[in-house]
Amino acid sequence: MSVHDSDDQQDVLDRYARSLIGVFGAPQLVLERGDGAWVWDVDGKRYLDLVGGIAVNALGHNHPALVAAVSKQVGEMAHISNFYTSRVQVELAERVLQLAAAPAGSGVFFANSGTEAIEAAIKLSRRTGRMGIVAAEGAFHGRTTGALALTHKAAYREPFAPLIPDVAHVPYNDIEALRAAVTKDTAAVVLEPVQGEAGAIVADPAYLQAAREITTAAGALLILDEIQTGVGRTGDWFGFQSSGIVPDAITLAKGLGGGLPIGALVTFGPETTGLLTAGQHGTTFGGNPLVAAAGLSVLTTIDADGLLGHVTAMGEHIVHSVTALDHPDIAGVRGRGLLRAIVLRSDLSAGIAAAAREAGFLVNPVAPSAIRLVPPLVISREELDLFVAALPSLISTAKESSP
Ligand SMILES: *Cc1c(COP(=O)(O)O)cnc(C)c1O
């Protein structure tokens, strides 16, 4: 069969199965284009995208500001190596520091992904002269071998053991367990302000405040993984900002490039920033002009379009409208802003996600009894209402088709 025979879904999926390594399993769809909160598959069927590239497409698909910024930049220069810099790279770093209210002497290291931002954070922590890292049960910090040691899920870790040593996992939101785990050998405590992959589990503000106090007392770094929570996702620029604390570092990725691959380690204050010096870390692509232009257009658009307030309002709207269904199979809604999970009373999430796809909605069954919603930050109330209105029938379909 020629590669040009057909571009219908099955043809592409068959060729996928013969040409890509199967780490993702079989893809659910072959998508062709997007606009705002909508995507179309190669058969022309339309879906409301409540996955948003897993919290990546902050401005939705095909946003004119992102298209214009990236198109202009790629026509000037896309990449130059980190022997050189560009105005746009420096502007993005300055803007991130300003939005994070980082003090003088703070700094940014640009990477290409979330897991690479975590690798930079691990190397930063080693420069304290200590080895130990304390992370949380349920944590997801990435798939490279360093970050994997901090990720909690056994199925991800065990095939690749042994990983870097001296990483302890403690129950999330348990202040006393954290206090007991942090010692004078702890280089860093690494926590997500909301655990995304665990199903939108929110850190109590008191937990983050205690983490700040415990790490300061022990002389350890507090590193917050904001790869999913950062860049407006929670309704604040960064998830830590509602807790009133200042971390020593945060990691960013997902939403920052609006779909272009960029990650970042942000260090707060001169002491932490000075831990990594010339020659101690690097990257070829990280923070190149193309992705920096994308990042700047995302931050500028979130600001100009008042998206932080919109995210808070839409997040509350999801909670109110799903709660108002008063559905016997729904236990509640977790999360903050537009990082949400609909929690079910039984393991229906895979069935609901399949029924949703059939009905033209993309959602993520993040856990057997939780459906994660991480739509573009630009999604409208009317678009969310389409999904909430369909939810009872999606649940019925899932129950009929489950054994
Ligand atoms: C997605 C994610 C990562 C990993 O990011 P990649 O870009 O997939 O490497 C790390 N931490 C958190 C909290 C994430 O949500």
Side-chain angles (χ1 to χ4, degrees):
M1 190 178 10
S2 145
V3 291
H4 299 296
D5 260 3
S6 157
D7 45 23
D8 78 341
Q9 311 245 12
Q10 200 50 55
D11 175 52
V12 178
L13 292 174
D14 291 346
R15 285 160 46 206
Y16 180 103
R18 289 194 296 270
S19 57
L20 282 102
I21 294 177
V23 291
F24 299 105
Q28 299 157 26
L29 293 169
V30 182
L31 296 175
E32 192 160 67
R33 67 191 173 91
D35 193 50
W38 298 88
V39 290
W40 283 260
D41 70 19
V42 289
D43 297 329
K45 180 172 171 180
R46 185 175 88 143
Y47 304 84
L48 182 63
D49 183 7
L50 299 161
V51 175
I54 317 185
V56 165
N57 298 309
L59 305 183
H61 300 273
N62 199 23
H63 191 286
L66 183 65
V67 172
V70 170
S71 303
K72 176 170 181 291
Q73 188 61 53
V74 79
E76 291 171 356
M77 58 182 184
H79 178 82
I80 51 174
S81 92
N82 282 306
F83 293 138
Y84 316 101
T85 189
S86 57
R87 275 204 192 85
V88 71
Q89 182 188 60
V90 175
E91 275 170 31
L92 180 60
E94 287 172 346
R95 193 91 177 91
V96 166
L97 293 174
Q98 181 211 340
L99 296 172
S106 299
V108 180
F109 172 83
F110 287 118
N112 311 293
S113 65
T115 202
E116 286 170 86
I118 294 289
E119 295 299 324
I122 293 170
K123 286 180 74 174
L124 179 83
S125 79
R126 287 288 173 92
R127 297 293 303 146
T128 62
R130 301 177 180 191
M131 282 282 283
I133 294 177
V134 179
E137 293 177 4
F140 184 83
H141 297 296
R143 302 285 208 136
T144 52
T145 52
L148 193 54
L150 276 59
T151 291
H152 184 239
K153 197 172 178 174
Y156 293 169
R157 302 156 47 82
E158 279 169 1
F160 306 100
L163 299 169
I164 60 166
D166 295 335
V167 179
H169 289 96
V170 294
Y172 192 59
N173 267 333
D174 182 335
I175 294 173
E176 289 321 309
L178 185 64
R179 198 184 302 282
V182 175
T183 69
K184 63 176 189 352
D185 298 321
T186 304
V189 170
V190 182
L191 295 170
E192 296 157 88
V194 180
Q195 289 189 325
E197 301 305 302
I201 300 173
V202 181
D204 303 329
Y207 182 60
L208 293 182
Q209 288 153 11
R212 177 68 286 179
E213 172 215 310
I214 291 164
T215 46
T216 301
L221 300 174
L222 176 60
I223 300 174
L224 298 180
D225 181 349
E226 297 253 14
I227 289 165
Q228 193 155 160
T229 52
V231 195
R233 178 60 51 186
T234 64
D236 291 307
W237 279 108
F238 305 102
F240 76 85
Q241 289 173 320
S242 62
S243 68
I245 64 161
V246 179
D248 297 303
I250 61 174
T251 52
L252 302 174
K254 292 200 164 82
L256 181 57
L260 274 83
I262 184 169
L265 170 71
V266 183
T267 52
F268 287 68
E271 209 181 320
T272 306
T273 303
L275 288 173
L276 284 172
T277 59
Q280 289 184 335
H281 199 41
T283 164
T284 297
F285 291 118
N288 80 21
L290 186 66
V291 295
L296 260 184
S297 82
V298 169
L299 298 179
T300 303
T301 304
I302 290 174
D303 193 23
D305 293 0
L307 288 179
L308 296 184
H310 178 73
V311 166
T312 300
M314 291 307 99
E316 285 167 5
H317 183 64
I318 292 173
V319 175
H320 292 147
S321 55
V322 172
T323 306
L325 292 175
D326 197 20
H327 195 287
D329 290 304
I330 297 176
V333 180
R334 277 197 304 247
R336 271 176 56 202
L338 286 175
L339 169 43
R340 293 288 175 177
I342 299 173
V343 184
L344 305 160
R345 293 197 196 281
S346 57
D347 290 355
L348 282 171
S349 75
I352 292 172
R357 195 163 62 243
E358 198 54 39
F361 301 98
L362 302 185
V363 299
N364 169 235
V366 67
S369 64
I371 297 170
R372 176 171 51 171
L373 306 178
V374 274
L377 307 185
V378 297
I379 197 166
S380 71
R381 184 180 303 259
E382 293 70 28
E383 287 164 337
L384 289 169
D385 285 345
L386 292 174
F387 173 69
V388 176
L391 195 50
S393 87
L394 301 177
I395 294 173
S396 303
T397 307
K399 290 177 90 169
E400 282 158 22
S401 59
S402 81

